[in-house]
Amino acid sequence: MHFYPTERVALFIDGANLYATAKSLGFDIDYKRLLGLFRQKGQLVRALYYTALAEEQEYSSIRPLIDWLDYNGFSMVTKPTKEFTDATGRRKIKGNMDIELAVDAMRLSDNLDHIVIFSGDGDFRSLVAALQQKGKRVSVVSTLQTQPPMVADELRRQADQFVDLADLEEQVGRSQSGGPAGRSPRQYTARPPLSPARDSNYLGDDDLAEEEV
């Protein structure tokens, strides 16, 4: 990764997409280490984490992660999921945070030099282009190391810098069977309750990223 020490940096984390990407690579994200890594790279202004929450799962396994992130340097952006029935009568759950992430990135960009987007969703290509037109550098964090790749080709080409999450495993990862001694795996790596890997009826950002590549 290439960062200038004087750059004002912000992280925009698509929670469901990052979870799916790390899971496909066989490790969990240690969010304390992730924050520490980017604090070393530049002047970290903000780290925002986006996730949808099912109202009936308000106190589910995602709550410890949200609470920990909220008290440890991350800004949480959440909204309730929406449930509907499709034409075949199947129950579907939708929890897309693309609009919230894009609006925040544009709104905060005047006070930033470098925007880092943790998502492979091709829908963000237009956002990246708009930020670049404002003179901002944009990095995208996802992976090419899966079949199919988790990052849309048009997003990877548009970004000023593509960072493969697989290359960051030693710096921000924790194996799914455990982790470094002295830390509670549950404290930093609680997983979102909704993603295609866990709910085949979930229509979120993970599905979009996979469909576009």
Side-chain angles (χ1 to χ4, degrees):
M1 294 189 296
H2 180 67
F3 287 79
Y4 297 105
T6 58
E7 281 186 320
R8 296 169 298 174
V9 180
L11 313 181
F12 293 83
I13 301 172
D14 178 344
N17 196 286
L18 178 59
Y19 160 72
T21 301
K23 184 176 185 299
S24 71
L25 292 171
F27 67 91
D28 293 322
I29 300 296
D30 184 323
Y31 288 95
K32 183 176 182 179
R33 298 179 69 198
L34 184 148
L35 200 63
L37 173 64
F38 284 92
R39 280 174 172 163
Q40 296 172 4
K41 296 295 182 181
Q43 299 177 19
L44 185 62
V45 175
R46 193 67 55 86
L48 299 103
Y49 186 98
Y50 297 80
T51 188
L53 290 173
E55 292 183 354
E56 66 272 16
Q57 293 180 326
E58 183 70 15
Y59 299 100
S60 69
S61 60
I62 194 175
R63 295 307 307 183
L65 173 63
I66 290 176
D67 291 341
W68 187 90
L69 293 175
D70 206 19
Y71 281 104
N72 289 274
F74 290 83
S75 298
M76 302 305 300
V77 183
T78 65
K79 72 176 182 182
T81 56
K82 294 182 179 180
E83 183 176 333
F84 65 97
T85 304
D86 66 13
T88 65
R90 295 182 61 192
R91 182 180 68 93
K92 297 289 183 179
I93 302 170
K94 186 171 181 62
N96 193 306
M97 298 293 292
D98 289 6
I99 296 298
E100 288 79 4
L101 191 155
V103 169
D104 286 349
M106 292 299 294
R107 180 170 55 86
L108 296 173
S109 62
D110 288 343
N111 297 311
L112 301 171
D113 303 305
H114 195 155
I115 289 93
V116 184
I117 299 174
F118 287 76
S119 179
D121 189 340
D123 284 350
F124 288 127
R125 189 203 65 78
S126 296
L127 169 63
V128 173
L131 291 167
Q132 290 168 333
Q133 289 172 4
K134 297 183 69 173
K136 312 303 175 181
R137 295 181 67 215
V138 185
S139 293
V140 167
V141 181
S142 187
T143 189
L144 291 167
Q145 304 303 314
T146 57
Q147 292 298 328
M150 294 293 289
V151 61
D153 186 63
E154 62 269 25
L155 178 64
R156 180 171 62 89
R157 291 175 180 272
Q158 185 69 50
D160 294 294
Q161 177 177 224
F162 172 70
V163 179
D164 200 304
L165 186 63
D167 295 333
L168 301 182
E169 180 177 358
E170 291 187 2
Q171 296 167 287
V172 305
R174 178 192 305 281
S175 69
Q176 293 179 350
S177 60
R183 292 179 182 160
S184 166
R186 212 171 162 72
Q187 185 176 17
Y188 305 139
T189 62
R191 300 172 181 175
L194 297 175
S195 76
R198 303 186 69 177
D199 187 342
S200 61
N201 294 324
Y202 178 59
L203 300 179
D205 297 338
D206 300 340
D207 300 276
L208 293 173
E210 293 177 355
E211 289 172 1
E212 291 169 345
V213 296

